[in-house]
Amino acid sequence: MHVQDKVRVSLQERSDQFLGLFRNSTDAALGKGPARNTAFVLALVLALDSADRSTLGVLAPSLKSAFHIGNTQIGMLAAAFSLVGGLATLPVGVLADRVRRVRLIGFAVVLWSMTMGVTAGSVSFAMLFVSRMALGIVTAAAGPPVSSLIGDLYPIDRRSQALSWVRSGELVGAGAGFLVSGLVVAVFSWRAVFVVLALAGVAVAWAVARRPEPRRGATETFGAEPTADHTLYQLLAAADVRPDPHGELHGDQRDRSLLWAIAYTLRIRTMVVVIIAGSLGDFFFSGLQVFAVVFAVHEFGISQAGAALLVPVAGAGAFFGLIGGGWLADSLIERGHISGRIEVGLWSFPLACVVIVPALFIHSVFLALPFLIVGSALLSAPNPALDAARLDVVHPELRGRAESVRSLCRVAAQATGPLAFGLLADHLAGGGVDGVRNAFLVTVPLLAANGLVLLAALHTYPSDVEAVARSTRDPEPSVPTPAGDR
């Protein structure tokens, strides 16, 4: 056999091994059948939203030149659709608890694609700004309905792993956004990038429309004894955990008002802590996503296209951190750690802070890359664990509205993050790359603060989960399928 043939066979074997490992990992986390397919489609929805966010970072230099704007205006563009999306999550949360969620998501993505076409044709900064505001539609649809669906597709012991794969769509989308937009803008123009995103949105909307709607509360016990998929409930029973009286509900919760649902959500102590911690992380990551290319171009002396290629490489670390964080959170529960999901965030956020700071002072891209990869992994690891923790402490018929509260806080953080980074970058050290670096240095301690914030949830999480467990142990579920789902 020739050397080239041996190399080809070896590469084929490595590829088969990787694909086999990938299939085994997804099978363990997502299972097989309709639930798995729906999870992948939901990941595509999140990828679409994230690709748009990262695209703005790549196109920032082109938009500055085309519309004669600065870093502050770039931050305003990133904030525009997040603010609208935040406001839209409230009515979307109500709809997510009352209508077919797959149809709701599909309709939102169609509107998003149409608006993306308008963005591509913008002739002024004002038109661009208004069109970016309208893009908040998919941001709202990517919050409450997606989380609510995952809660009904996967039992409590597997939610972190399932969410890690679904949330990986955000990272894949961010990487694809950096890569594709960098190549397209180099060959064509920034307008062509938005056209590509619009076409991708049409394909995603078609995929969403084909998915079935799961029954609400399908993964809860509803009077049955906990099974192998309910180890957490068994641990709570063995530890004789008392429920938080504020979280225990009985009867039909679908017709509760939005204000009542918001008040109920904010009475759940674990929910409040996790929302605060997640919002601080989102604030930092959104600024990093928008200004990473600007920093890399000036700090490492590479081209805009080279920086766009560099970000997905660092994003690979975030992907593995996300998958590993989801696996670790569920594994800790399997090993008897009731608050294992909180523990993942408790340690990952401060460690991310320690790793990211040195990367800001290294001028060699090759030396800085390992720090960026590890830092990205640690920054992403807590996300699926905390996402699952939020679902664990909320009644299944109120998850859409509860997630709307979290989504509102998230988009507020994502909106103010780039704007704050832009303002800090323009007014620290005279602007430029030193200003961007100092903006990161000022905000990175927020990651360490997350560890302190999550300490409170270590003790509240068990009682909040037990409250939901008792709420769903009625002999029969209230009304498992709302009229709008039929």
Side-chain angles (χ1 to χ4, degrees):
M1 182 179 292
H2 296 294
V3 174
Q4 291 181 343
D5 294 333
K6 291 182 179 180
V7 171
R8 185 167 56 253
V9 171
S10 177
L11 291 175
Q12 182 64 44
E13 291 176 349
R14 297 290 185 184
S15 177
D16 291 341
Q17 291 174 357
F18 175 79
L19 291 176
L21 179 62
F22 179 81
R23 282 194 296 268
N24 292 337
S25 299
T26 55
D27 287 347
L30 303 176
K32 298 179 180 180
R36 173 196 178 102
N37 296 335
T38 300
F40 275 121
V41 170
L42 296 178
L44 289 177
V45 175
L46 299 185
L48 198 63
D49 181 43
S50 186
D52 180 36
R53 295 177 187 277
S54 60
T55 292
L56 182 61
V58 176
L59 299 182
S62 298
L63 295 177
K64 285 181 179 180
S65 175
F67 296 104
H68 307 290
I69 56 178
N71 288 327
T72 301
Q73 285 73 29
I74 293 295
M76 290 174 61
L77 289 175
F81 75 103
S82 293
L83 289 173
V84 173
L87 296 175
T89 56
L90 295 176
V92 168
V94 175
L95 292 174
D97 286 335
R98 297 178 179 176
V99 304
R100 290 179 63 88
R101 290 158 288 186
V102 291
R103 288 183 181 176
L104 178 63
I105 296 172
F107 180 71
V109 175
V110 169
L111 292 178
W112 181 89
S113 297
M114 295 171 62
T115 307
M116 188 64 72
V118 176
T119 302
S122 297
V123 295
S124 66
F125 177 74
M127 184 176 177
L128 180 67
F129 183 79
V130 172
S131 65
R132 296 297 299 177
M133 291 179 64
L135 290 173
I137 296 171
V138 78
T139 298
V146 171
S147 296
S148 178
L149 283 167
I150 293 300
D152 291 335
L153 288 170
Y154 293 97
I156 193 167
D157 288 0
R158 295 171 56 195
R159 283 176 188 156
S160 291
Q161 293 182 77
L163 281 164
S164 69
W165 283 101
V166 173
R167 295 298 182 191
S168 70
E170 294 180 330
L171 298 177
V172 173
F178 275 113
L179 180 62
V180 174
S181 59
L183 295 175
V184 172
V185 74
V187 177
F188 299 101
S189 70
W190 63 268
R191 299 182 189 277
V193 176
F194 292 117
V195 173
V196 172
L197 287 174
L199 295 175
V202 173
V204 171
W206 177 81
V208 172
R210 293 170 55 86
R211 303 313 312 152
E213 177 82 8
R215 177 175 63 84
R216 297 180 195 273
T219 58
E220 309 302 332
T221 55
F222 284 121
E225 290 297 323
T227 66
D229 287 328
H230 301 101
T231 302
L232 183 56
Y233 292 152
Q234 295 173 340
L235 293 173
L236 293 172
D240 194 26
V241 174
R242 298 291 92 190
D244 185 330
H246 294 110
E248 189 171 351
L249 303 172
H250 298 282
D252 191 351
Q253 307 299 320
R254 295 173 300 123
D255 293 330
R256 297 283 195 177
S257 70
L258 176 60
L259 291 178
W260 184 94
I262 292 175
Y264 157 79
T265 301
L266 297 179
R267 287 199 304 266
I268 303 173
R269 294 171 296 174
T270 302
M271 190 73 168
V272 173
V273 172
V274 170
I275 285 176
I276 293 173
S279 298
L280 291 175
D282 292 332
F283 178 90
F284 180 83
F285 185 77
S286 63
L288 177 66
Q289 196 171 19
V290 172
F291 290 100
V293 170
V294 175
F295 177 81
V297 167
H298 291 85
E299 181 68 16
F300 302 133
I302 57 180
S303 66
Q304 181 180 338
L309 292 173
L310 176 64
V311 174
V313 175
F319 175 83
F320 288 109
L322 194 71
I323 302 301
W327 171 83
L328 178 60
D330 286 351
S331 296
L332 287 173
I333 292 175
E334 185 179 350
R335 296 173 185 175
H337 294 249
I338 294 178
S339 298
R341 285 170 178 159
I342 306 299
E343 293 175 18
V344 172
L346 182 65
W347 294 105
S348 295
F349 280 125
L351 287 175
C353 177
V354 173
V355 173
I356 289 175
V357 170
L360 299 176
F361 295 95
I362 298 176
H363 299 290
S364 169
V365 63
F366 298 106
L367 294 178
L369 194 57
F371 289 92
L372 296 175
I373 292 175
V374 175
S376 297
L378 291 170
L379 190 59
S380 298
N383 290 339
L386 298 183
D387 288 346
R390 292 198 311 274
L391 293 176
D392 298 343
V393 300
V394 176
H395 191 283
E397 292 177 351
L398 290 165
R399 283 177 181 149
R401 281 162 285 183
E403 279 298 303
S404 70
V405 178
R406 155 59 180 156
S407 296
L408 182 61
C409 295
R410 183 183 191 190
V411 297
Q414 290 174 337
T416 56
L419 182 57
F421 269 74
L423 290 171
L424 289 172
D426 282 343
H427 297 287
L428 284 177
V433 66
D434 290 333
V436 174
R437 180 191 296 111
N438 288 339
F440 285 130
L441 288 174
V442 169
T443 54
V444 77
L446 294 175
L447 303 179
N450 271 348
L452 298 175
V453 170
L454 288 170
L455 279 173
L458 279 178
H459 305 290
T460 62
Y461 176 77
S463 60
D464 287 334
V465 175
E466 179 62 19
V468 175
R470 298 200 180 194
S471 298
T472 57
R473 283 176 190 161
D474 290 333
E476 295 292 339
S478 53
V479 180
T481 305
D485 288 354
R486 295 173 183 168

